[in-house]
Amino acid sequence: MAGGPNNDGVDQARVRNVVLVGPRASGKTALTEAVLLENGAITRLGRVEDGSTVSDHTEVEKRLGHSVHLAVATTEVTDAEVTGGARVRLTVLDTPGMPDFVGELRAGLRAADAALFVISATDGVDAGTRILWRECAAVGMPRAVVVTHLDQPRADFATALADLQSAFGAGVQPLYLPRGDGIVALLSQTLRTGSAGARTVTALDASDSAATADARANLVEAVITESEDEGLLERYLEGEEVTFETIVADLEKAVARGVFHPVVPVSPLDGSGTAELLELVCRAFPSPAAGATPSAYGTNGGTRPALDPSPDAPLVAEVVKTTSDAYVGRISVVRVFAGTLRPDSTVHVSGHLAQFSGRDEDAVWHADHDEDERSGAISTMLGAGLTTVGEARAGDIVAVAHLAHAETGDTISDAAQPVVVEPWDFPHPLLPVAIRARSSIDEDKLVKGLARLQAENPSAMVLVDPETHQLVLWTMGDQQLELLLDGLRTRAGIDVDIEPVKVAVHETVRAIAKGTGRHVKQSGGHGQFAICHIVVEPLGVGEGFEFVDEVVGGSVPRQFIPSVEKGVRAQLDKGVTGYPMVDVRVRLVDGKSHSVDSSDAAFQTAGALALREAAAAAGVQLLEPVDEVEIVVGDDFVGAVLSDLASRRGRVRGTESAGSEGLTKVLAEVPALELVRYTTALRSLGHGSGSFTRTPLRYAAVPVHVQDRLTGAVAASD
Ligand SMILES: Nc1nc2c(ncn2[C@@H]2O[C@H](COP(=O)(O)OP(=O)(O)OP(=O)(O)O)[C@@H](O)[C@H]2O)c(=O)[nH]1
Ligand SMILES: [Mg+2]
């Protein structure tokens, strides 16, 4: 067993956990590769295009040419110039930029103590990244910006910087400027050229100093503005000289406080800027001891004291990702927030939110599991590579084998002092598809396959719809759906078919009407005889079903009255146009029986027939579920969202500020029939800035054209 990094003598204050976030294809995976090469963790720079990177190590990522999973790479920063001589252990969390995989992004944010926003100079900041920046700002997460793709013909650093400053606001200032052959360090006024192991640093000549003077002045002033020495800015503006050391110290503090955000130009493909970025991470980003920790609760509720991020405290860790390996079995990627996790020790695993309907009050708190388990081997990760280590201490991110019941979002704690941490903000999957096993063999394997899918993808959800009885897979979008089905096929050998999702439409009747059910078969053998007369009446929405016995004189014998009701109920479940019938009163007013041929079954049949006839006479009105929808979208796209809602028969109740600059909240009532694929529609309407929640509100009568479509559909499928 290697003398693992966790007892490798690296001081916890020198641990750095950094998540890379940013738009699709901005260069996060390439940057991870450059950082690993710079640190000597790899000897050859992998390329995304040929599937040879450390992060995009799964078959599907190599095939698609982009990340879909959170990837973790732990390495030691070896360059003493970069670390100032200390030993620093850096864990990079590389996240997918595609919106469908936001669950992986959220897991990465949870495990990290600081974020690097990776922005391509040619593609800029998308709406989703703007929102993410604000979310990080709201929790005070330290963050800096890396600008890539500067080697591209259309790229211009000044334009990219202006875009960043308008998108991210105050405190965004370049620490370095790109220059053809290297980068210029503004504070030290030096030019840095070359790459890992062959770097030269030379002082700027007079003309370069003059050319960068404004940028340097803006940087210095921005840093001093954030200085904890309140009088410093005034003194500086009055002409007092501020030393390089003071500026650097204030800069590092302001970054760690999350109020100042240096911009570093990096070219991941040739390594330029990587060492400078590492220097910023090592010196200015916080250690886990300084980072935020989640709130903790007792496993039966009740708050617990704030977590103590020291290795000697009781163990509290969280599963941020769950995968499985053909040899090792289940692997839990764990961030330790307090205490020390050891291999082969008994820990307590507390579940997370088990299920939801979009309404928090329906959230079930760790209902599914809450038990002790024995941990297996502990390893640091380098993409798919695992290095066994002796322990994991507060601040470490490691892979733990054999926690058979642990799922993403679960808490791992000291078995003697079990706790559960507050869950992070799981994205709500809102794109449903109905799935069905292709064969009975697949059927048997499906439950197990879906359980694993669920444990590994908390941003997806599998539910059996209580009304339509369909098995519904809820995902974040089509790409995630494709990935999950691909996983079922390739990893679990299960083929499923996709069906259109049914919305739980109901029937009711429009008017009061009579109906007769006549079930008479008396031609030889045991006859059947049952006649019943009913009156059907509409009830209010949500009033359910009422059966009224108004039989007099025994026209329907007492023992067969429940049979009529049973038959009526069976027909209600089926409906008469293919949807369950609700909110009706059925009055059994009369009937006829035969002393020999009448039976429970005969009167059930007659009851069903009577309802069908009465409903046809009364006229069937379909009722559809209407959801309350709350949409948050960039201000520029509100108009498009509103007119689209109108085309979906939506009723807008109002718009208001979403409480975050540049975002508007739209409140509306929209038929569920029109929301099935709203996730994808909103993504293009809002250019990536849109998100929504939906909550079942009520049932309402569908308009004629929709009813024709629905009954036409049923007729077509019969
Ligand atoms: N020319 C150039 N290409 C770059 C640069 N950075 C990344 N690339 C290329 O851009 C493409 C996308 O880079 P990735 O690293 O996969 O981007 P990503 O941010 O990880 O993308 P997702 O995984 O989809 O979120 C790859 O082909 C990279 O080789 C750069 O600075 N210059
Ligand atoms: Mg990637």
Side-chain angles (χ1 to χ4, degrees), residues 28-29 56 66-67 94-96:
K28 301 176 288 296
T29 299
D56 293 355
H66 63 76
S67 311
D94 179 15
T95 67

Side-chain angles (χ1 to χ4, degrees), residues 80-95:
E81 260 185 58
V82 163
T83 64
R87 296 181 57 198
V88 173
R89 186 171 60 253
L90 168 66
T91 295
V92 174
L93 297 129
D94 179 15
T95 67

Side-chain angles (χ1 to χ4, degrees), residues 358-396:
R359 286 190 301 225
D360 284 347
E361 59 271 24
D362 288 349
V364 175
W365 191 269
H366 70 91
D368 51 355
H369 53 273
D370 202 352
E371 60 216 301
D372 290 357
E373 276 207 71
R374 267 194 101 63
S375 62
I378 297 178
S379 319
T380 57
M381 291 165 280
L382 199 66
L386 299 177
T387 306
T388 308
V389 294
E391 61 183 20
R393 293 179 295 187
D396 290 341

